[in-house]
Amino acid sequence: MLNYLIAELLSSKTEDTRGQPGFLLAVAALLDMRYPFTVGHSKRVARYAKSIAAEMGLDPQSQEILRFAGKVHDIGKVGIAKTHLDKQGKLTLDEMREIQRHPLISYDIIMDVTGLENVANIVLHHHERVDGHGYPLGLVGNSIPLGSRILCVSDSFDAMTSERPYKPAMEIDEALQELEQGAGTQFDPDVVQAFIATFRRINPHYLCDACAALYPYVPDRQEQERIDVDNN
């Protein structure tokens, strides 16, 4: 069914493509539901990405682009064998290479929808690492689009804190510490800082000691007003 929907999307050559972004979202949602370990993953990634973008001062349009990219970032997995995605043991080198094709497949699918070129480019590079050891192109540092660096942190955090066939879910404070330790190698340090800041604002009881020392909690304006009222 999913393969049929993708084929329908890619074969649409009509001039009126206004409904295609919504169709793309529907396919992405169905893909999430196909795998019990990833239900809700894309929605959470989208929410994290938009929050990071807001924290970093990106304009509302850019925030919405990131939110959309988060929802469709894994759509290329429709072209990956389900046995690879569900495998509980260690992947072979060939299986790993096959899974690493999914950003390229996602890019091809999204690029076919008029007006989503920025989204396609962000999704293409969301598994790049700032040290150049990522995929599919091995881009380094700022040569990776900022949106992709934001999506990488969002996707990685949700993957770490979600149960998967090959691993149990990581505790939230442990995952935050993993982000901090990966800043400068896997992750953009500024994006990690923005994520931790916004995550702690929403969940002040979740923060590892190392992160707390680096990123002291700063209430937003509305929360500070409530604190001032309580103290008076």
Side-chain angles (χ1 to χ4, degrees), residues 80-120:
I80 306 300
K82 193 172 185 293
T83 52
H84 296 354
L85 298 173
D86 288 345
K87 187 173 180 178
Q88 296 187 14
K90 186 177 180 179
L91 294 169
T92 67
L93 182 59
D94 286 343
E95 289 169 342
M96 179 62 71
R97 286 173 175 165
E98 177 67 13
I99 288 177
Q100 289 179 350
R101 290 180 55 243
H102 80 270
L104 293 164
I105 301 172
S106 296
Y107 175 83
D108 287 341
I109 292 170
I110 298 168
M111 275 295 289
D112 203 64
V113 181
T114 302
L116 295 185
E117 293 82 7
N118 286 345
V119 171

Side-chain angles (χ1 to χ4, degrees), residues 11 28 47 50 58 61 87 128-129 142 145-146 148 155 160 162 166 170 175 179 181 197 200 220 229:
S11 65
R47 186 171 67 249
K50 183 177 180 180
L58 274 64
Q61 183 180 8
K87 187 173 180 178
E128 305 283 2
R129 294 170 50 115
N142 290 340
L146 176 58
S148 303
D155 184 41
M160 286 189 285
S162 300
Y166 50 86
M170 188 180 289
L179 290 181
Q181 290 175 349
R200 191 180 189 196
D220 61 19
V229 168

